[in-house]
Amino acid sequence: MRKVPENNSLKKEIRKLLELCKKDEKDNGEKRNYFNAPITEEEMINWEERNRAKIPETYKEWLRFSGKCRIAGNTATFWGPNEFHSEYVPEGLVVIGEINGDGEVVCFSKNEGIFVRVFEGKTTEINDFACVLKEIIKLMDDKPILSQERYLEILQKIKEKKEREKNK
């Protein structure tokens, strides 16, 4: 796993996340977690200049740790500036990742620099990226992480049950 820079404001959250990812891999197999190399300051500045927007400081802190990652399978994925996009979200938002594996995305506002979660057209403001990481930690810490196969099996059973109830 990646080393956390000492001067990173997200150090506590990142270390806890790495600990949980290690446990997740032990319980569910490898390749469910990865943390790519950090993004350079130059890459962040270039994106900001091209897009006339500022990347919020707490996300820059994350990018100084990892430019792209996957956490506990579908629990969370975050990207670097080359993969940011603004599709399927309200105008002025920049998508930086996905959480919960259900289509929910994490964005930041180009104008205000605030973080926003978007799910099924509803937006929820978030204080900073540390709050996002804390939520992921809570998801991973509060319940056992299911394997992808078991998760899909449960979803299929739920779908079948709803179908049976609908046909009654």
Side-chain angles (χ1 to χ4, degrees), residues 148-163:
Q148 180 72 10
E149 294 78 21
R150 182 70 179 132
Y151 175 74
L152 293 173
E153 182 182 311
I154 290 168
L155 285 179
Q156 183 62 36
K157 287 182 180 182
I158 291 169
K159 183 178 175 184
E160 289 169 1
K161 182 180 178 186
K162 285 182 179 180
E163 197 61 38

Side-chain angles (χ1 to χ4, degrees), residues 137-148:
I137 289 166
K138 186 174 179 354
L139 283 170
M140 292 177 74
D141 222 4
D142 278 357
K143 63 179 182 188
I145 302 295
L146 299 173
S147 69
Q148 180 72 10

Side-chain angles (χ1 to χ4, degrees), residues 5-168:
E6 281 302 315
N7 61 347
N8 193 309
S9 69
L10 302 171
K11 179 173 49 178
K12 179 181 168 190
E13 291 84 4
I14 293 171
R15 285 187 175 154
K16 180 65 176 175
L17 196 57
L18 290 173
E19 175 188 313
L20 290 169
C21 286
K22 193 172 187 177
K23 181 185 180 311
D24 174 66
E25 286 184 350
K26 181 180 169 208
D27 294 344
N28 297 298
E30 294 183 18
K31 299 186 180 180
R32 288 175 46 84
N33 304 283
Y34 67 80
F35 298 90
N36 286 358
I39 298 297
T40 67
E41 297 298 319
E42 183 180 359
E43 288 174 284
M44 288 187 256
I45 291 167
N46 287 341
W47 184 90
E48 289 176 332
E49 288 174 353
R50 277 193 322 272
N51 293 278
R52 294 187 201 118
K54 292 292 254 179
I55 300 169
E57 190 56 38
T58 55
Y59 197 66
K60 285 183 179 182
E61 288 292 305
W62 176 260
L63 293 173
R64 290 176 185 120
F65 166 70
S66 177
K68 181 177 182 176
C69 72
R70 179 172 61 197
I71 302 169
N74 289 331
T75 301
T77 304
F78 295 105
W79 310 299
N82 290 335
E83 295 181 81
F84 291 171
H85 66 85
S86 296
E87 298 169 353
Y88 312 113
V89 293
E91 190 174 334
L93 296 180
V94 176
V95 180
I96 59 172
E98 301 172 349
I99 58 174
N100 298 323
D102 60 2
E104 184 171 354
V105 294
V106 177
C107 311
F108 67 82
S109 163
K110 280 185 172 184
N111 298 328
E112 294 88 25
I114 58 171
F115 290 92
V116 178
R117 291 172 53 174
V118 179
F119 182 62
E120 295 182 344
K122 292 192 285 185
T123 60
T124 307
E125 285 189 24
I126 308 167
N127 289 336
D128 61 23
F129 196 67
C131 293
V132 175
L133 295 179
K134 287 173 186 172
E135 183 173 331
I136 295 165
I137 289 166
K138 186 174 179 354
L139 283 170
M140 292 177 74
D141 222 4
D142 278 357
K143 63 179 182 188
I145 302 295
L146 299 173
S147 69
Q148 180 72 10
E149 294 78 21
R150 182 70 179 132
Y151 175 74
L152 293 173
E153 182 182 311
I154 290 168
L155 285 179
Q156 183 62 36
K157 287 182 180 182
I158 291 169
K159 183 178 175 184
E160 289 169 1
K161 182 180 178 186
K162 285 182 179 180
E163 197 61 38
R164 282 193 304 272
E165 290 172 355
K166 182 178 161 185
N167 291 330
K168 285 185 177 180

